[in-house]
Amino acid sequence: WIQGITKIKTESAFSQKFPHTIFFAEEVLKNTQMRNLLPFKNAKGYTFSKLVNGIFPKNKEFYVIGRDGVSHTLEFENYLSQAVLIYDEGKYHMKSVQMPAGMWVNDIAAIIVDSKAIIFNNQFDNIQQITELLAITSYPKTVTAKSTNSAQKISIDVPFSSAQWQDVIKFSW
């Protein structure tokens, strides 16, 4: 169903830069109202732009990964400027009228641009699971977690359900 192919590029998680600053999507979207996402019927959620605005420059390639490991490298203007994040039973699915349905990412887990990432922490119990999905073999024992009012060191072994992670917007190492 894809026509006019000019280039095919293959990648793996190993060829991607590892993000050193990671934002939690749920915290970024916390004060944003969920809305109907036309032209998709019976779909509620957020626009992709609402999530990434202020975190990533839009002139970069976005590496989008589903929880099942399916991933795409996508340009914002050609594929993502009209993309939406449809919320369904605790998961987010990315769709866009700019790309074929076969490229839509179900159960989205992470979006990476250069050394920053946005993760959907409802997809992960802890940092270890993030490193497994991204095939990261070397990482520190602690991260600096930042909320609106404070920053603290947290061990990577502490589960995201712990009170230490409550209200954390991003973490870095």
Side-chain angles (χ1 to χ4, degrees), residues 91-105:
K91 298 177 182 178
Y92 291 89
H93 309 294
M94 187 184 76
K95 296 182 178 183
S96 176
V97 296
Q98 296 170 285
M99 54 186 175
M103 289 178 63
W104 295 347
V105 180

Side-chain angles (χ1 to χ4, degrees), residues 78-112:
N78 292 334
Y79 299 104
L80 300 173
S81 65
Q82 295 177 46
V84 296
L85 300 168
I86 296 172
Y87 183 78
D88 182 32
E89 297 182 17
K91 298 177 182 178
Y92 291 89
H93 309 294
M94 187 184 76
K95 296 182 178 183
S96 176
V97 296
Q98 296 170 285
M99 54 186 175
M103 289 178 63
W104 295 347
V105 180
N106 287 323
D107 204 4
I108 193 167
I111 302 163
I112 303 172

Side-chain angles (χ1 to χ4, degrees), residues 9-30:
K9 179 179 170 185
T10 61
E11 296 187 339
S12 72
F14 295 106
S15 64
Q16 293 295 320
K17 290 182 182 176
F18 175 67
H20 291 284
T21 301
I22 299 176
F23 293 81
F24 288 121
E26 293 84 356
E27 286 298 316
V28 172
L29 295 170
K30 188 159 109 176

Side-chain angles (χ1 to χ4, degrees), residues 3-90:
Q3 299 175 359
I5 295 174
T6 57
K7 176 172 91 173
I8 296 175
K9 179 179 170 185
T10 61
E11 296 187 339
S12 72
F14 295 106
S15 64
Q16 293 295 320
K17 290 182 182 176
F18 175 67
H20 291 284
T21 301
I22 299 176
F23 293 81
F24 288 121
E26 293 84 356
E27 286 298 316
V28 172
L29 295 170
K30 188 159 109 176
N31 296 321
T32 305
Q33 183 81 23
M34 217 181 267
R35 63 185 189 94
N36 290 324
L37 300 169
L38 298 174
F40 302 101
K41 294 183 181 183
N42 302 319
K44 288 193 179 272
Y46 307 95
T47 63
F48 185 82
S49 293
K50 190 63 89 172
L51 174 64
V52 302
N53 197 27
I55 296 174
F56 301 130
K58 293 180 180 167
N59 63 344
K60 297 282 189 167
E61 288 187 328
F62 288 68
Y63 185 54
V64 181
I65 308 166
R67 189 63 178 110
D68 59 3
V70 171
S71 63
H72 299 292
T73 300
L74 303 164
E75 296 170 349
F76 184 83
E77 280 304 314
N78 292 334
Y79 299 104
L80 300 173
S81 65
Q82 295 177 46
V84 296
L85 300 168
I86 296 172
Y87 183 78
D88 182 32
E89 297 182 17

Side-chain angles (χ1 to χ4, degrees), residues 125-128 139-142 154-160 165:
D125 295 325
N126 54 44
I127 292 175
Q128 179 66 35
Y139 44 85
K141 301 276 187 229
T142 62
I154 300 177
S155 168
I156 63 166
D157 300 326
V158 175
F160 290 144
W165 286 103

